[in-house]
Amino acid sequence: MHYESNVREPLILGNKSYKDITIDVARPVETAAPKAWWIVFSISLVMFLWGVGCIMYTIGTGIGVWGLNKTVGWAWDITNFVWWVGIGHAGTLISAVLLLFRQKWRMAINRSAEAMTIFSVIQAGLFPLIHMGRIWLGYWVFPFPNQYGSLWVNFNSPLLWDVFAISTYLTVSTVFWYTGLIPDFAMIRDRAINPVQKHIYRILSFGWGGKAKAWQRFEEVSLVLAGLATPLVLSVHTIVSMDFATSVIPGWHTTIFPPYFVAGAIFSGFAMVQTLLLIVRRIFKMEDYITIQHIEMMNIVIMVTGSIVGVAYITELFIAWYSGVEYEQYAFLNRATGPYWWAYWSMMTCNVFSPQFMWFKKLRTNLIFTFLISIVVNIGMWFERFVIIVTSLHRDYLPSSWGMFSPTFVDIGIFIGTIGFFFVLFLLYARTFPVIAQAELKTILKSSGESQKKHHDPHGAH
Amino acid sequence: MAHTEHTPVVRALYLDDDVVLGAVKSLRDKGIKVKEVYSPFPIHGLDKVMGLKETRIAMAAFMYGLFGLTVAILITSYMMNMDWPQNIGGKPSMTWGMNMPAFVPIMFELTVFFAAHLMVWTFMVINKLYPGAAPQNPDPRTTDHHFMIEVAAGEGVVDALKETGAIEIVEA
């Protein structure tokens, strides 16, 4: 019953037992942080604090401290928002979609990918809040009974759909993640020696004991949550794209946006998972669980989604020409050859050209190359959002109001701050949470463990 | 470990999930009631061997989803079409039915929101899981690499457990 074809490469390397998995997953929590962790954490914390300062300056003074002007009224704030939401998508894709497709290689990476989802959606959520200017009225985005009329939110607006989509996405991802964490917290609780640590994990593990009925329900809940999260994740970036697509701005008013945004989101999210996991497997010595095969699989996803994004870029150009609408045609001509040509061609190079290297097995199994590409892809995806937003706005129908956007130090500071905040959260997570879903991983040890597979091999070789 | 029931039980520890599966089968064949199995991970097929009923939590989630959909329909129709109808971008606001396409995203999101959250709350409540709850497993090793079968104490039970490959037996 634990048989799996030998054609499939093992997912857990080395001669591991259930006990070894426990020890390896608990190690980062139970031992002191390596020096590298402290270095990266300190840098991230400084970036984060710088960002906090810039956010406070923005709130205290107003969003006039940003580089926005009358022509470009949306720039880095919304670029960063879409970029972070997009990055979040890979986590749900790995934990939910790959669960439905029974892709067992997800098990070593889903925990960290989901953590990344939650932390990046938190960064994303910051931008709509601070760009309101008066953040203390932020609760006005929710339909609450009030004395102003009553004045309700506008359910016809994609911006409000976004409020519902992002809040549903953030909270559902969090409970999905947490439900999976409970048995693993229980494992750490039961191993803990330090009374303070034991007490904390006792609170976090909710008293989990691994009873048969609880496991039966647990598996059903995971499956149903995966079934709910799959359309949810697709809806989130679809709705984000509708913020643009339902407007009448040339360059935004495009029906291809929803699938194109979703593909781009998965593309950038997998790149970020790649960046994070290459560091995690190195610092915490998880090479036996997050194997080259895992890295290769994710690179294939990056290659496929990157190509989808490339097709979308070219389709946009074609449709702009084919539509015969000169404003559309100009918007795209201006993107590629106008004053922001460098942003457009950075986007094209990073997103369409660079993932094509992944057709070569040698390159997609090379860790350093993968790490570089993962960063290049995320730079490219940031430029994609910048190109869509700023180049569509900066030259509208009236040439006398054409303008350019340049960020101020506050724009840059807030963006850097969110990167710092993201890494602060992720690094704290990596030291205190089980970074691999060990309970789930133990279920495939007999079928996909390296030494267990050899044992099943009728020829005894390989 | 504090237990509310007073009936004495015998607990046997095992090192392998397949052995546990076989043990539960043979114990039940002998007419010994397996009260509980504690395991570090879900053992495929254990619920069937133990004779557990299928969980209905997915059906509960479906009902919660329908509830969320109803909430979405009620709030959009009340707020947008009854309490304060407005002309927004020329979208028809006379009846909810005409205005409905603009509300599909909200209806979808609230369906998922209610289904997911209420299902997880239900899961926590029926399994008696809450922050700070006492660990339900009598032996801390069962979240690591040990498996435990708990049966009601009785004549011949200990011998039967030994036969099934238990590495340690505790009468409590």
Side-chain angles (χ1 to χ4, degrees), chain B residues 47-64:
Chain B
D47 48 350
K48 297 226 166 53
V49 174
M50 281 177 76
L52 295 178
K53 278 189 214 143
E54 271 187 44
T55 171
R56 290 168 296 171
I57 202 158
M59 185 42 87
F62 181 74
M63 304 310 281
Y64 296 145

Side-chain angles (χ1 to χ4, degrees), chain A residues 240-272:
Chain A
V240 168
S241 81
M242 285 172 181
D243 291 345
F244 305 100
T246 57
S247 73
V248 289
I249 308 289
W252 287 2
H253 188 65
T254 318
T255 44
I256 200 178
F257 262 20
Y260 154 30
F261 267 52
V262 171
I266 294 163
F267 178 54
S268 66
F270 266 85
M272 187 60 100

Side-chain angles (χ1 to χ4, degrees), chain A residues 1 9 56 68 84 102 129 174 176 183 185 187 238 284 309 313 421 430 449:
Chain A
M1 74 179 274
E9 283 169 46
M56 280 160 61
L68 302 175
W84 278 118
R102 299 178 188 223
L129 280 175
T174 308
F176 193 8
F185 278 142
M187 178 276 282
T238 298
F284 295 123
V309 167
Y313 293 163
F421 191 14

Side-chain angles (χ1 to χ4, degrees), chain A residues 294-314:
Chain A
H294 288 88
I295 307 286
E296 188 185 353
M297 295 284 204
M298 289 194 277
N299 277 334
I300 292 172
V301 176
I302 289 175
M303 179 184 85
V304 171
T305 48
S307 307
I308 294 174
V309 167
V311 171
Y313 293 163
I314 295 162

Side-chain angles (χ1 to χ4, degrees), chain A residues 108-225:
Chain A
I109 56 174
N110 60 359
R111 175 68 43 74
S112 296
E114 272 178 74
M116 178 202 75
T117 293
I118 293 160
F119 302 149
S120 59
V121 176
I122 290 172
Q123 310 313 322
L126 280 174
F127 286 99
L129 280 175
I130 56 178
H131 107 300
M132 288 173 184
R134 283 178 279 178
I135 194 172
W136 50 93
L137 300 180
Y139 65 95
W140 283 12
V141 299
F142 294 107
F144 64 97
N146 57 71
Q147 302 291 312
Y148 314 124
S150 241
L151 195 60
W152 298 114
V153 293
N154 176 13
F155 283 105
N156 294 285
S157 163
L159 295 176
L160 190 76
W161 303 344
D162 234 0
V163 170
F164 278 74
I166 301 287
S167 10
T168 304
Y169 186 47
L170 178 62
T171 58
V172 171
S173 301
T174 308
V175 295
F176 193 8
W177 186 54
Y178 202 86
T179 313
L181 272 164
I182 286 175
D184 294 355
F185 278 142
M187 178 276 282
I188 294 181
R189 170 200 71 201
D190 288 344
R191 282 173 57 84
I193 301 160
N194 178 330
V196 178
Q197 199 185 31
K198 199 169 189 78
H199 188 71
I200 292 171
Y201 287 104
R202 186 184 158 119
I203 294 171
L204 291 174
S205 63
F206 284 24
W208 177 264
K211 292 182 176 180
K213 188 74 189 174
W215 276 124
Q216 186 203 35
R217 290 174 181 143
F218 178 91
E219 291 206 287
E220 188 82 357
V221 164
S222 304
L223 186 66
V224 175
L225 280 176

Side-chain angles (χ1 to χ4, degrees), chain B residues 1-167:
Chain B
M1 196 57 54
H3 255 266
T4 43
E5 72 259 56
H6 297 289
T7 49
V9 292
V10 181
R11 299 191 177 116
L13 278 163
Y14 297 81
L15 273 174
D16 188 273
D17 42 331
D18 290 323
V19 175
V20 170
L21 214 53
V24 172
K25 239 182 251 173
S26 77
L27 290 170
R28 276 173 56 94
D29 287 345
K30 284 179 189 156
I32 299 170
K33 191 178 179 300
V34 175
K35 290 180 67 146
E36 191 58 82
V37 175
Y38 301 90
S39 61
F41 55 83
I43 301 173
H44 189 69
L46 180 69
D47 48 350
K48 297 226 166 53
V49 174
M50 281 177 76
L52 295 178
K53 278 189 214 143
E54 271 187 44
T55 171
R56 290 168 296 171
I57 202 158
M59 185 42 87
F62 181 74
M63 304 310 281
Y64 296 145
L66 285 183
F67 175 63
L69 180 64
T70 313
V71 169
I73 293 170
L74 288 177
I75 64 171
T76 50
S77 65
Y78 173 70
M79 293 172 189
M80 293 285 103
N81 311 117
M82 287 154 71
D83 193 42
W84 195 320
Q86 294 174 87
N87 183 342
I88 293 160
K91 286 174 187 164
S93 61
M94 293 302 286
T95 65
W96 184 83
M98 291 159 82
N99 210 165
M100 191 275 287
F103 304 146
V104 169
I106 301 289
M107 285 151 66
F108 171 76
E109 298 298 335
L110 286 182
T111 305
V112 170
F113 185 90
F114 278 78
H117 286 287
L118 292 178
M119 175 180 66
V120 171
W121 280 97
T122 308
F123 171 75
M124 298 296 173
V125 171
I126 55 178
N127 287 310
K128 299 187 183 68
L129 299 170
Y130 56 91
Q136 293 173 359
N137 47 334
D139 191 306
R141 287 172 292 177
T142 59
T143 51
D144 179 358
H145 65 308
H146 283 68
F147 304 80
M148 180 187 270
I149 295 181
E150 192 175 271
V151 296
E155 230 172 290
V157 162
V158 173
D159 290 333
L161 284 168
K162 268 185 195 149
E163 266 172 44
T164 59
I167 56 151

